[in-house]
Structure formats: structure tokens, C-alpha cells
Amino acid sequence: MVRAVRGMRDVLPAEARRLAEVESLLLRTLHSFAYEEVQLPLLEFTELFARGVGEATDIVEKEMYTLSDRDGDSITLRPEGTAGCVRALQQHGLLFNQTQRVFYRGPMFRYERPQRGRYRQFYQIGAEAFGLPGPDIDAELLKLCAEFWRVLGIDSQVQLELNSLGSAANRRAYRDALVAYLTPHRQALDEDSQRRLASNPLRILDSKAAATQELLAAAPRLDEFLDDASRAHFAGLTELLDAMGVAYVHNPRLVRGLDYYTHTVFEWTTTALGAQGTVCAGGRYDGLAELLGGKPTPGAGFALGLERVALLWEQSRSMATTLSGAMSAEFSAAADVYCCVMDAQHLAWAQALAQSLRDALPTYRIRVHAGGGKLKNQLRRADQCGARWALIIGDDEVAGSRVTVKPLRDAAEQETIAAAALAEFFAQAERRD
Ligand code: HAM
């Protein structure tokens, strides 16, 4: 049997339903903030990520799916969306001297070690704002995230960690100071950090090794290297967040794994998902447009991992249903109404009835039985797919333009209703709930 490539997950119907539900709530929120969708290619020239994300990052060094196409060009399956978004808007003249607020969504690819919440193909929803240098837009992006969590009912499960990396010059000065401090202690660093000392010293701050963390306790601090403008930007942002009621923790060690950031960086984390606790992350990247060969344009944004957000949503939702004692049948159901068709000659009638219900009740999922068979077996199928009601369509029903409605999830009696009154019957049942 041919199997899936490691880390490439098949999303089966129950999970696909959850992901789609979460995504539609997030999209509604993005629209309500007036962000516009852009659709970007999965493949880009490798150079885009090497320059944009940074040669010395884990992503570019060891996580990209890179291949030569038939012309011999080196192309890469996108590991993230920001570089491609900047490239696209730049290429189409939508960046310089303009303001844009856009979002994108879709699969990203990273060759990481797969585990729960970490995949080699995963789905991001990202938002980016261009042409706006002030902390007001950083605050808006964070408010947008906070709104996501509120809409999904997971706001008590996530916390915002925030930091400032300062300007590119501040970062360079800090990098030199950190290297000067750590170099005499090189031998005491963990293996990864020893390597990073030459390639990407700021990432040493992320090290989980106890000995490295001990050394870092007395290391120079990034916030001591920020210039006045960077401090003012960060102070402006925290003031706005306070005024908007967006809670945060200042984590002076937060540096992020992509090289394009300047000033604001942030991560939304949770303790409810084990090791893969970052559900959303981002920051400001004022130098990226220039780095990719365009005119300087400030930018800021974030991306969330849809699978992680959906896992968190599902966990808190199942906790809520357990607490209220409610059944989660509706949650796992594939259909709301299942039409049992007693005779193949009534199939067209049943399909027409189902269509009239779909038109009248657009949120309802109506499935018509296929494959014939006894009523008992059809009702079993109806039950298996989680439907709340079965409709029974036989000779008497068709002759009298009626339908027998059998409730499947509660003790109510079955009843026979005029076909024309069926949509109203369901609408009334919904109002009662
Ligand atoms: P990132 O931190 O690399 O940032 O990824 C953002 C989010 O994508 C993570 O917080 C996580 O939820 C999810 N994610 C990343 N890798 C995986 C994986 N292997 N499996 C599942 N989920 C994953 C970026 O990608 C930046 N482009 C964010 C950004 C946008 N910064 C400014 N604008």
C-alpha cells in the first residue's frame, strides 16, 4: 500500500469540518477589520527565502523543501507567507508609498520533526499591514488576534508575549556585545548554541539548555541597546495595548526564529497544547521590502497555525460541553437531515424536496440516501452520520406530498408533515433550541 509522505497529514472529514469552522470564524473577523485577501503561490524562488527569512535561520538552513525545476531554477515550497506577500505586492506596484492591509491563508511546508501540533505541511492564516510605521498598527494587529481568541472562546487559554528588537543597528550592536560576552564561555554552551555563536547569536537566547541559560542570566540585555526611537515605539505600543485592554507579558528574551524582524516581536502561547505552545506569532519587519530589492516600506504582521488554534478550540469546546453535560453529537455530525428513500422511483421527488430545504435553510446539511436497501438500514446510516432528523419518503408520502419526520436525537414522536411546511417545522425547532 502506498502511504502518505511523513509529516504530510490527511485531514479527514471530522477534522476538516472543525478546521473549516474555525477558519470561517477567523475570516469573518479579518473581514470585519477590513483586511483584504491575497492569494499567493506555493512555490517561490529559493532566493526569496534565503534573502528574506535569512540564510542563518533554521528554516533556511535545514527545513526547506527545495527542488530544481525543469529549467534548473532552484525553487522552494513556501515555508512561510510574509516574504512571498511582500514580493507579490512589490511586484505588482502595491507597496511603495501606499498602505495595505491584507491577509493570506494556505499550506506552508517545513521539514521539521513531526509531532502533535507540528507538521511538515501545515496551514497558516497570516495578516500583514504595509506602509504604516507607527505602533498604532502593531496594536491593531494584536487587537485583531485578541478578537480571534474571543470569537473562538479561547481567550483565557492564550497569553501574549511581547518584546522589542529595536532597529537593525540596535540589533547589530547587541549581537556584537552578546558574542563578546559569550565567546570566552564558548565551551560551556550547548552544541546548537556554539554553532549559533557564529551564525545567529541572538537565537542562543531561545536555548533550552540549563547551562546556557545560566550563562545568559549575566549576559547583556537587548533592551539596554535600544535607541530612543525604538523605546518610544515600544512604549507607544504598550500604552495602546493597555488602553485597549489587551493583556501582555514583556519577555525581554523573545527574539523569534526569522531574521527579518525589527522593533516589535510577539508570540501568543498556550500551556494547553504541550510542547507546541505557540499558536500565533509575528512582528514588525521594516527592512524586508528593501532586502528583497524594493523601495523601503514598513511592514508588520502575524501568522497563526490553524491546526494548533483548532486543537485549542476543540479542547476548550469539549471541556465546555462536558461541563454542561450536553452531547457533542451535533459537533461530530456530518449531516443534520437524512432523507430515507423507500423506493428508487421516488428518488427525484426526494432530491427535489431536499433541494427546497437547502434553499430555505442554507445552514442545514441535507443528505439523501443512496444505494437503496431496507428502511432499517437507511435509518442506521442516518444515525451513523449524526443526523438529528430522518425523513421517510415512501408511496403514501409522495402521493400525499407529505413527509414522515423521525427525530433521532431525542425522545419526541415521529410525525407526518406536509412537504410544504417542512422548512418552517425545522425553523421552529431551531427557535425552540
Ligand atoms: P512562525 O513563528 O514561523 O512565523 O509561524 C507562525 C505560526 O505558524 C506558529 O506560531 C505556529 O502556530 C505555526 N507553525 C509554524 N510551524 C509549524 C509547524 N511545523 N506545524 C504546525 N504549525 C506551525 C511566521 O511564519 C511569520 N511569517 C509570521 C509573520 C507574519 N510575521 C510577520 N508577519
Side-chain angles (χ1 to χ4, degrees), residues 350-413:
Q351 286 286 7
L353 176 82
Q355 193 51 48
S356 70
L357 285 177
R358 291 183 190 116
D359 292 342
L361 304 165
T363 60
Y364 269 52
R365 296 159 303 166
I366 322 263
R367 186 176 282 185
V368 178
H369 180 80
K374 294 202 181 82
L375 178 62
K376 190 165 150 249
N377 291 336
Q378 296 195 24
L379 285 172
R380 191 160 45 79
R381 289 279 176 85
D383 186 48
Q384 277 167 353
C385 81
R388 189 167 167 194
W389 289 286
L391 302 185
I392 301 170
I393 298 163
D395 291 342
D396 291 350
E397 281 84 2
V398 172
S401 270
R402 294 186 302 255
V403 182
T404 300
V405 183
K406 185 175 167 60
L408 299 175
R409 307 280 152 214
D410 56 47
E413 291 290 309

Side-chain angles (χ1 to χ4, degrees), residues 140-221:
E140 177 183 279
L141 287 158
L142 289 165
K143 175 73 183 161
L144 170 56
C145 296
E147 195 53 25
F148 283 160
W149 320 137
R150 194 188 65 77
V151 166
L152 293 172
I154 55 172
D155 38 344
S156 63
Q157 314 261 347
V158 290
Q159 78 160 7
L160 171 60
E161 293 183 36
L162 193 63
N163 194 21
S164 173
L165 302 179
S167 66
N170 298 161
R171 234 168 72 159
R172 267 196 306 277
Y174 176 64
R175 184 190 147 113
D176 293 347
L178 188 65
V179 172
Y181 167 80
L182 288 174
T183 303
H185 305 288
R186 194 169 189 283
Q187 293 313 318
L189 292 171
D190 58 281
E191 201 180 309
D192 255 358
S193 298
Q194 290 194 13
R195 197 172 45 82
R196 283 178 170 152
L197 193 56
S199 61
N200 200 352
L202 256 60
R203 288 303 306 283
I204 297 176
L205 300 184
D206 277 346
S207 167
K208 303 266 186 296
T212 303
Q213 280 302 327
E214 223 166 89
L215 265 179
L216 287 172
R221 282 172 51 135

Side-chain angles (χ1 to χ4, degrees), residues 33-35 101 129 132 134-147 237 240-241 244 246 302:
F33 275 69
Y35 280 64
R101 292 178 213 196
L132 299 159
D136 50 355
I137 194 69
D138 305 21
E140 177 183 279
L141 287 158
L142 289 165
K143 175 73 183 161
L144 170 56
C145 296
E147 195 53 25
L237 171 59
L240 279 166
L241 292 178
M244 294 190 310
V246 178
F302 65 80

Side-chain angles (χ1 to χ4, degrees), residues 80 82 110 112 117 119 124 128 256 260-261 278-279 301 305:
E80 62 101 49
T82 308
R110 294 183 194 174
E112 293 191 87
Y119 317 107
Q124 276 189 350
E128 315 285 357
R256 308 272 301 125
Y260 47 59
Y261 293 111
T278 308
V279 293

Side-chain angles (χ1 to χ4, degrees), residues 7 9 53 59 63 79-83 85 104 108-130 141 256-258 260-261 264 266-269 273 276-285 288 299-309:
R9 280 179 337 122
V53 175
I59 292 181
E63 294 173 1
E80 62 101 49
T82 308
C85 187
Y104 50 83
M108 307 289 160
F109 301 84
R110 294 183 194 174
Y111 194 83
E112 293 191 87
R113 197 168 52 76
Q115 60 185 82
R116 180 168 185 256
R118 186 165 72 198
Y119 317 107
R120 290 181 175 176
Q121 176 179 332
F122 58 99
Y123 195 100
Q124 276 189 350
I125 297 184
E128 315 285 357
F130 297 103
L141 287 158
R256 308 272 301 125
L258 301 93
Y260 47 59
Y261 293 111
T264 314
F266 57 84
E267 290 188 352
W268 291 90
T269 57
L273 292 181
Q276 302 310 314
T278 308
V279 293
C280 174
R284 178 163 281 283
Y285 46 86
L288 182 56
F302 65 80
L304 61 82
L306 188 66
E307 294 89 350
R308 290 186 193 176
V309 172

Side-chain angles (χ1 to χ4, degrees), residues 211-272:
T212 303
Q213 280 302 327
E214 223 166 89
L215 265 179
L216 287 172
R221 282 172 51 135
L222 178 54
D223 48 359
E224 294 160 357
F225 286 76
L226 299 192
D227 57 27
D228 289 347
S230 301
R231 279 180 210 282
H233 187 101
F234 193 62
L237 171 59
T238 53
E239 253 168 55
L240 279 166
L241 292 178
D242 290 338
M244 294 190 310
V246 178
Y248 57 87
V249 174
H250 179 194
N251 174 359
R253 290 272 172 83
L254 182 68
V255 288
R256 308 272 301 125
L258 301 93
D259 275 356
Y260 47 59
Y261 293 111
T262 50
H263 303 288
T264 314
V265 286
F266 57 84
E267 290 188 352
W268 291 90
T269 57
T270 180
T271 51

